[in-house]
Amino acid sequence: MKNDHLKPATIAAQAAGATDTETAGVVPGIHLSTTYLRDADYALMRPDNIYGRDENDSVRQAEEVLRQLEGAAATLLFPTGMAAIAAVFRALPGGARVILQNGIYWGTIKWVRDFCARRGIFLEEVDAADASALAAACRSSADLVWIETPSNPWLKTVDINAAAGLAHKAGAVLVVDATAATPILTRALDHGADIVMHSASKAINGHADVLGGVLSCRDGASALWKAIATERHDAGAIIGPFEAWLVMRGLRTLPLRVERMCTNAMAIARFLDGHAGVESVLYPGLEGDPGHAIASRQMSGGYGSLMSVVVKGDRARALDVVARLRLFHRATSLGGVESLVEHRHTIEPDTGIPETLLRLSVGIEDAGDLVADLAQALEGAAA
Ligand SMILES: *Cc1c(COP(=O)(O)O)cnc(C)c1O
């Protein structure tokens, strides 16, 4: 708690004060032990350390950095983003009613639909970026409202504050997947969310070499949060200590990386917006974007590194543009230091993604190099 007044750049760079007390190392060690000692009186030598399924100092250190960045009461890491999402839904009572934003990360929709059907949880999917649609869904009482902002891959912006008001009136908790925003651009709890979730596999780690997920809450004593913590401990969805250590290593540069990624993304969005070979650019940073005003209120320091671009022509031209790119790696995922391009329809052929939509994850390379790469690819792929 003592560092809560510090700014994100300081919290991140100094890993919330974590050092190696054993060796005096500036960098904390990686604690791999799965079990902990008792003394001759059979008392635990560290009462908070019994067994590694839920008790590990490397995991706790990474959680503390994230907790401070998020301004949260408590934070829990999970082995993947999906495991974090699953922990929330598994903590719901049977017969619960859930309102889920539609058109969000496909992995979430697919798993939540399947889980709710098996569990007898009533699921309603709604375009939460449409305030009146969300208000209508929240007219009946609910247990959980789940939104994702900016959403992946449509880049829709949801007003977290307004969603929290509607959710709370319906008796529900609001959970926000803020993966694309990162805790640097949006602290969702400050805007009224009860729980914020991120895939740490994305910008939080930022180097495309760790899978992880994170949940942070406003009220660590709430019944839902306690159930989530119990679920993690008892069902064992535990991130490994090495992964947690890598997440903390990645977090040290998160504010810097996010700053550069946002500047690069903005330059790319401006280049693509109005380009003769481009139909439209979906990016909340553009003044013409339907979510721009709300995004400007709830994102500070930039609009993120994720954007979608609908190119002119057909599927073949879109794939031709992708094929001609030399710097953007053709791969899924987002938030890493290297720029990626994805033809989303190939991955999700049945969910209404246009065959001409390319999702870009903008990295920290030189903006001019990235723009030049896109320019030559669009130029070369004749419409
Ligand atoms: C990647 C992603 C997830 C899932 O995270 P994993 O770490 O891949 O399990 C959830 N939500 C969003 C928005 C994502 O981009």
Side-chain angles (χ1 to χ4, degrees):
M1 286 287 186
K2 63 182 180 349
N3 289 338
D4 280 5
H5 64 286
L6 295 173
K7 297 285 187 289
T10 311
I11 295 165
Q14 301 206 353
T19 55
D20 188 354
T21 45
E22 195 131 321
T23 66
V26 166
V27 175
I30 308 172
H31 302 284
L32 296 170
S33 190
T34 57
T35 188
Y36 299 94
L37 292 169
R38 289 171 180 271
D39 65 16
D41 298 326
Y42 213 67
L44 285 164
M45 294 184 72
R46 273 253 321 252
D48 55 340
N49 275 349
I50 301 174
Y51 182 60
R53 181 159 5 90
D54 207 17
E55 290 155 2
N56 181 279
D57 281 7
S58 296
V59 176
R60 290 183 180 123
Q61 284 168 343
E63 286 171 345
E64 179 58 14
V65 181
L66 286 159
R67 189 193 69 75
Q68 290 188 19
L69 289 176
E70 209 74 78
T75 293
L76 291 170
L77 273 168
F78 291 82
T80 63
M82 286 312 304
I85 293 169
V88 175
F89 282 83
R90 289 161 80 169
L92 290 172
R97 180 167 177 267
V98 170
I99 297 166
L100 179 75
Q101 183 181 346
N102 66 20
I104 59 170
Y105 179 69
W106 174 236
T108 305
I109 294 178
K110 180 175 179 296
W111 183 83
V112 167
R113 279 181 187 166
D114 183 55
F115 180 79
C116 290
R118 281 188 281 121
R119 263 294 183 88
I121 293 174
F122 182 79
L123 176 66
E124 183 169 347
E125 295 179 39
V126 60
D127 181 3
D130 175 346
S132 58
L134 184 60
C138 288
R139 232 163 262 144
S140 326
S141 71
D143 297 275
L144 175 72
V145 174
W146 186 285
I147 61 171
E148 180 182 294
T149 187
S151 70
N152 172 8
W154 291 102
L155 280 300
K156 287 196 180 182
T157 300
V158 181
D159 186 331
I160 299 171
N161 201 267
L166 292 168
H168 294 159
K169 232 187 273 166
V173 296
L174 177 70
V175 185
V176 179
D177 180 341
T179 298
T182 79
I184 303 305
L185 301 176
T186 303
R187 298 209 324 180
L189 303 176
D190 290 353
H191 296 279
D194 299 289
I195 295 177
V196 58
M197 174 264 156
H198 300 271
S199 167
S201 322
K202 312 295 167 55
I204 281 179
N205 174 62
H207 295 75
D209 52 12
V210 176
L211 292 174
V214 59
L215 298 174
S216 299
C217 70
R218 167 209 305 289
D219 177 7
S222 76
L224 181 62
W225 185 258
K226 283 188 177 159
I228 289 168
T230 301
E231 178 67 31
R232 185 181 79 158
H233 176 276
D234 293 3
I238 301 303
I239 193 169
F242 183 50
E243 283 74 16
W245 186 91
L246 279 172
V247 164
M248 191 165 76
R249 201 277 252 298
L251 278 167
R252 290 178 189 268
T253 55
L254 178 66
L256 269 181
R257 287 186 282 107
V258 167
E259 190 182 320
R260 171 64 82 91
M261 291 194 296
C262 288
T263 312
N264 283 357
M266 200 66 223
I268 287 170
R270 294 222 186 280
F271 166 75
L272 292 173
D273 191 31
H275 186 286
V278 168
E279 193 74 50
S280 59
V281 180
L282 313 181
Y283 186 62
L286 293 172
E287 289 76 5
D289 186 271
H292 180 69
I294 297 163
S296 299
R297 280 205 301 276
Q298 70 188 21
M299 301 180 86
S300 56
Y303 297 89
S305 57
L306 186 67
M307 79 179 67
S308 289
V309 45
V310 182
V311 300
K312 281 193 181 150
D314 55 9
R315 176 189 186 89
R317 177 164 188 268
L319 285 168
D320 192 16
V321 172
V322 168
R324 287 170 187 272
L325 287 166
R326 294 173 192 143
L327 292 178
F328 283 79
H329 291 306
R330 289 173 286 277
T332 193
S333 199
L334 57 110
V337 291
E338 62 288 295
S339 295
L340 304 178
V341 60
E342 178 169 64
H343 184 249
R344 195 66 215 157
H345 186 274
T346 300
I347 312 295
E348 252 183 85
D350 306 316
T351 64
I353 306 283
E355 292 185 274
T356 47
L357 182 142
L358 305 180
R359 197 187 71 185
L360 303 181
S361 170
V362 179
I364 63 167
E365 303 95 332
D366 181 84
D369 286 346
L370 294 175
V371 167
D373 192 32
L374 288 161
Q376 65 80 22
L378 285 164
E379 180 81 11

